[in-house]
């Protein structure tokens, strides 16, 4: 049972606040934001306790969705409630940002009154709530452009740019237009650890197929996946070396799996709003599909206070694709005073953050098959024998549109209804981004 629920902007402004039980502490938004500021660069855990009050929060598109309780409730349950509320705000407002929240606060308060009663969760289904919601959404400027991607998150991870997710249209108004459209995204996040000799120690893929439909009547949608798609590696033989192998899959309740084993076709009766058709996981991604390799050389002179690091980053994706918004982080020794660098000019910039003792290299775009290099000189205030050990590891953040590491593909997307002839616009997009991509040097 929840006592308070509130939404804060990135500046700490209270956009939405609801007190459900009257047993909470006054000024909880201020207490929470003070903890955020105190944490600084250190990430604050999603669940923490202050004077006997439990704070649980998630961050979406720069907005903090927070609830508090004095009871010993399941943290996973509270996080799931916050996630569902953020999804509802996105479904009913069309886009999730500060402007849409401010423009639609009567609608959001109405949603909260239906979702939570005296702190207890009632209904969180977008489709079920439509019968009880009377306020109409106010579309923001960015919500009118259906080709613009919604900002923010995939699986709760803050994005560096706009990911390719479904259209910015409210579900309440989405069916009123003349256009019939279906948006589908195949999204993957990578967790990779590579040793200094180039061996892959860990390569995990967490992915999902996400859908949002704007077709009248919600007809059945057929999604065709790879013919060589297998779940559970133990069932494969040596002849299935080129097959798409997944460890496990979880499907939405609206998916009919009666013919999935033989045809690899998902039959979906889409509900209102944006939803995840399928989640999947791969514990060992093929090394050949990993998007980046790094060659690093460290030159250390015992009689000098300067360490020189040469980095060569290669993008291994096909030449038809490119990686965007790459951020490379290189930790430097604690005794580092300054860092000088030499990188290729253009869309690449670099800076040394003394407070973090780390050097950052920002690359706006890197074409597949290309390679770039940088020379970094670390100037230290004193000679230290352990300085070499304090260099690295290198971590990468990036986004790669139209590229998937697991090999999973959507062969076709069809809308079928025996009574009506539909020819909707179908948008299928792919994107891969980093969850944790670490390379030791």
């Amino acid at each position: 049972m929840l006592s308070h629920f509130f939404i804060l902007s990135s500046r700490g402004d209270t956009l939405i606040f609801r007190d459900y039980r009257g047993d909470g502490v006054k000024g909880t938004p201020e207490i929470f934001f003070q903890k955020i500021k105190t944490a600084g660069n250190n990430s604050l855990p999603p669940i923490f306790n202050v004077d006997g009050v439990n704070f649980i929060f998630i961050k979406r598109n720069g907005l903090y969705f927070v609830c508090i309780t004095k009871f010993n409730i399941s943290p996973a349950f509270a996080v799931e409630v916050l996630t569902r509320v953020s999804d509802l705000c996105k479904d009913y407002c069309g886009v999730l940002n500060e402007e849409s929240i401010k423009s639609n606060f009567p609608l959001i308060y109405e949603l909260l009154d239906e979702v939570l009663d005296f702190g207890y969760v009632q209904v969180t289904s977008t489709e079920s709530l439509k019968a009880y919601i009377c306020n109409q959404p106010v579309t923001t400027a960015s919500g009118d452009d259906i080709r613009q991607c919604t900002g923010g998150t995939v699986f709760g991870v803050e994005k560096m740019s706009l990911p390719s997710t479904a259209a910015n249209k409210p579900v309440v108004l989405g069916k009123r237009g003349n256009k019939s459209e279906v948006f589908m995204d195949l999204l993957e996040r990578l967790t990779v650890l590579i040793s200094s000799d180039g061996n892959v120690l860990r390569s995990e893929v967490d992915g999902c197929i996400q859908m949002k439909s704007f077709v009248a009547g919600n007809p059945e949608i057929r999604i065709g996946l790879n013919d060589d798609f297998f779940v559970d590696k133990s069932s494969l033989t040596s002849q299935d070396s080129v097959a798409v192998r997944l460890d496990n899959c979880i499907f939405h309740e609206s998916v009919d799996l009666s013919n999935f084993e033989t045809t690899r076709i998902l039959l979906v009766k889409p509900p209102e709003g944006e939803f995840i058709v399928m989640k999947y996981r791969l514990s060992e991604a093929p090394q050949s599909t990993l998007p980046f390799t790094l060659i690093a050389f460290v030159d250390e002179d015992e009689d000098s206070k300067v360490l020189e690091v040469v980095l060569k980053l290669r993008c291994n994706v096909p030449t038809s694709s490119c990686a965007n918004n790459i951020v490379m982080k290189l930790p430097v020794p604690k005794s580092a005073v300054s860092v000088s660098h030499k990188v290729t000019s253009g869309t690449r910039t670099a800076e040394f953050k003394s407070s973090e003792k780390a050097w950052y290299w920002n690359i706006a775009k890197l074409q597949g098959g290309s390679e770039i290099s940088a020379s970094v000189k670390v100037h230290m205030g004193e000679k230290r024998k352990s300085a070499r050990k304090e260099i690295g590891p290198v971590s990468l953040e990036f986004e790669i549109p139209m590229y998937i590491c697991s090999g999973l593909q959507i062969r076709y997307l069809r809308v079928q209804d025996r009574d009506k002839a539909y020819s909707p616009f179908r948008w299928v997009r792919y994107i891969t981004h980093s969850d944790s991509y670490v390379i030791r040097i």
Side-chain angles (χ1 to χ4, degrees), residues 118-139:
F118 198 61
Y120 291 92
V121 180
Q122 305 298 311
V123 182
T124 61
S125 168
T126 301
E127 191 169 4
S128 300
L129 285 170
K130 285 188 70 174
Y132 307 103
I133 302 302
C134 299
N135 283 285
Q136 293 297 316
V138 178
T139 56

Side-chain angles (χ1 to χ4, degrees), residues 176-241:
R176 298 184 179 182
N178 296 324
K179 275 190 176 181
S180 294
E181 296 172 303
V182 178
F183 293 82
M184 179 166 290
D185 302 292
L186 204 163
L187 310 167
E188 289 188 351
R189 58 175 181 169
L190 297 178
T191 301
V192 176
L193 176 61
I194 302 176
S195 65
S196 57
D197 56 4
N199 292 326
V200 179
L201 304 178
R202 181 183 180 188
S203 58
E204 297 179 0
V205 177
D206 289 295
C208 76
I209 298 176
Q210 197 164 273
M211 176 187 287
K212 194 170 187 179
S213 173
F214 293 102
V215 181
N218 288 351
E220 185 179 77
I221 296 178
R222 300 171 69 90
I223 305 170
L225 302 178
N226 308 50
D227 291 328
D228 56 353
F229 166 53
F230 291 90
V231 181
D232 186 6
K233 295 181 181 180
S234 60
S235 63
L236 297 178
T237 64
S238 59
Q239 298 178 350
D240 299 321
S241 57

